[in-house]
Amino acid sequence: MAYLIRGNELELAVSVGTVLGEAASPATHYALQLLARKCMMIPMWNLAADLLLMTPDSEEQLVKLCAFYPGCIEEINDLHKKCNLPPAEKCIQLAEKAQADGNVFETIKYYLLSQEPENALPIGIDFVKGCISNSNWTLDTVYPVLDLLSFIRTEKLLLHTCTNARNELLILCGYIGALLAIRRQYQSIVPALYEYTSQLLKRRVVSVPLKIEHLSEELDAWRACTSSATQSSEESPCTPPSDSQRTIYETLLKRLKDEPLKGIIGPDYVTGSNLPSHSDIHISCLTGLKIQGPVYFLEDGKSAISLNDALMWAKVNPFSPLGTGIRLNPF
């Protein structure tokens, strides 16, 4: 199941998981969620809803589906009804009530489902910034809020009035994505996610509790500690991590905790990844290296990354490496 999911053979993974039954249900439900995301970029929204309704406790996933749906108000309400969610008009009242009660997650959820989803951005972003300003925050505290917030409809996120909120959301998603990539052992994209976050911090005017110097220290500590841990006895010795790097890395691991779904740990590896390149050579805009195996083109139609990296990137950071605010969907 794990190899099928990491190879992006989602339909096959769901079929196998259905036959295996209860023992494989966590992996099956995860494959169904990814398959539903695949249907969210093509006119198959009802199929995406049907896939999510096959999983237990699917309300949060259905909320994300409905929040991202770009139809007219009648179509939006039809999808809400199918997903057992209140109509968009009522969601404003529910959001205001949740806000009065101090429930951040419910406030964001109902604003995203309403006709004014942009109201969710400052609430969610302020919550995340408040969390990471404290030294003892954990990934599991902030990721669910950021993940939900990232499903705001693209046309709303790209509004001129949302520029500051969009920039801060992209930076926070980039950083949290880097931490998730470390936790899931997506080694090939960790440096790219840190670099992406640093470049956005450098080029955009934002107010987030992240510093480029801290990101560099964290990345260096991760590199030093993981390279020394994976080095075999036959290899020439590399410089061991310093005491300060060990301390930074230990703090990082405490923040990450363990990945709840063990089967998804490890790099994605699709069919054809080891095949030699043909004459049409593409260079990855993440690594600067020649892409071997399937290629994934970004929204500008020119920039390319490997399909393996695109899948891993989309699983930890839904937004394009180009920093445009467009969501990736390589599934």
Side-chain angles (χ1 to χ4, degrees):
M1 287 288 291
Y3 280 117
L4 288 172
I5 291 170
R6 286 162 52 198
N8 205 36
E9 303 289 351
L10 301 176
E11 295 87 345
L12 189 52
V14 170
S15 302
V16 172
T18 304
V19 172
L20 292 175
E22 187 63 32
S25 58
T28 307
H29 299 157
Y30 181 62
L32 282 166
Q33 289 170 20
L34 294 178
L35 205 50
R37 277 181 70 176
K38 182 178 182 176
C39 297
M40 286 168 63
M41 290 294 186
I42 47 179
M44 297 176 70
W45 296 86
N46 282 319
L47 175 58
D50 289 335
L51 291 167
L52 292 174
L53 287 165
M54 290 168 66
T55 66
D57 306 317
S58 58
E59 185 190 349
E60 193 179 315
Q61 300 299 327
L62 292 166
V63 166
K64 294 172 187 175
L65 173 71
C66 292
F68 194 62
Y69 181 60
C72 66
I73 188 63
E74 291 81 9
E75 293 169 331
I76 287 171
N77 281 335
D78 284 345
L79 190 62
H80 280 214
K81 187 176 180 182
K82 181 181 178 75
C83 297
N84 303 312
L85 294 169
E89 298 85 355
K90 190 181 178 184
C91 288
I92 281 278
Q93 301 162 22
L94 293 169
E96 290 168 349
K97 182 179 183 306
Q99 192 168 10
D101 294 341
N103 190 326
V104 173
F105 194 83
E106 292 290 299
T107 304
I108 295 168
K109 178 175 90 174
Y110 285 118
Y111 268 131
L112 287 177
L113 291 172
S114 74
Q115 292 167 283
E116 300 172 17
E118 59 272 24
N119 289 348
L121 287 171
I123 297 166
I125 289 169
D126 286 347
F127 171 81
V128 173
K129 290 197 293 189
C131 286
I132 65 176
S133 296
N134 297 319
S135 58
N136 59 347
W137 67 277
T138 65
L139 185 59
D140 293 334
T141 309
V142 299
Y143 176 65
V145 172
L146 265 185
D147 184 40
L148 179 61
L149 208 55
S150 72
F151 279 88
I152 184 171
R153 289 199 296 278
T154 301
E155 70 269 19
K156 293 289 186 180
L157 185 63
L158 297 183
L159 288 172
H160 178 68
T161 51
C162 293
T163 299
N164 288 341
R166 178 174 68 250
N167 289 337
E168 293 188 350
L169 178 64
L170 294 181
I171 286 167
L172 292 169
C173 282
Y175 178 58
I176 297 305
L179 300 187
L180 262 178
I182 291 173
R183 185 162 90 172
R184 295 185 182 177
Q185 296 176 19
Y186 294 169
Q187 319 291 54
S188 65
I189 63 166
V190 170
L193 281 158
Y194 271 104
E195 177 62 21
Y196 162 87
T197 308
S198 298
Q199 287 299 323
L200 288 179
L201 274 170
K202 199 180 293 182
R203 294 174 184 172
R204 314 267 170 108
V205 179
V206 290
S207 173
V208 292
L210 291 172
K211 289 191 168 30
I212 295 173
E213 299 78 18
H214 173 70
L215 296 182
S216 297
E217 288 171 0
E218 217 168 71
L219 178 59
D220 289 343
W222 170 78
R223 276 182 167 138
C225 292
T226 52
S227 62
S228 64
T230 57
Q231 188 183 36
S232 68
S233 56
E234 292 83 20
E235 290 176 312
S236 57
C238 63
T239 307
S242 65
D243 290 342
S244 64
Q245 285 177 329
R246 287 186 194 280
T247 303
I248 292 169
Y249 187 60
E250 283 166 12
T251 305
L252 196 59
L253 292 182
K254 283 180 193 167
R255 189 162 288 151
L256 299 184
K257 306 265 173 107
D258 290 330
E259 177 60 48
L261 187 57
K262 302 299 180 191
I264 63 171
I265 293 175
D268 283 358
Y269 208 67
V270 299
T271 303
S273 297
N274 265 347
L275 292 176
S277 303
H278 52 74
S279 57
D280 190 13
I281 293 172
H282 298 283
I283 303 298
S284 170
C285 66
L286 292 187
T287 64
L289 303 173
K290 184 173 74 173
I291 297 171
Q292 190 170 352
V295 174
Y296 181 80
F297 287 96
L298 301 179
E299 64 272 18
D300 64 356
K302 297 179 291 185
S303 304
I305 58 180
S306 74
L307 182 55
N308 290 334
D309 286 349
L311 288 165
M312 291 186 283
W313 184 289
K315 287 175 183 175
V316 298
N317 175 15
F319 296 110
S320 164
L322 298 181
T324 57
I326 303 292
R327 283 181 70 95
L328 279 191
N329 194 352
F331 301 105

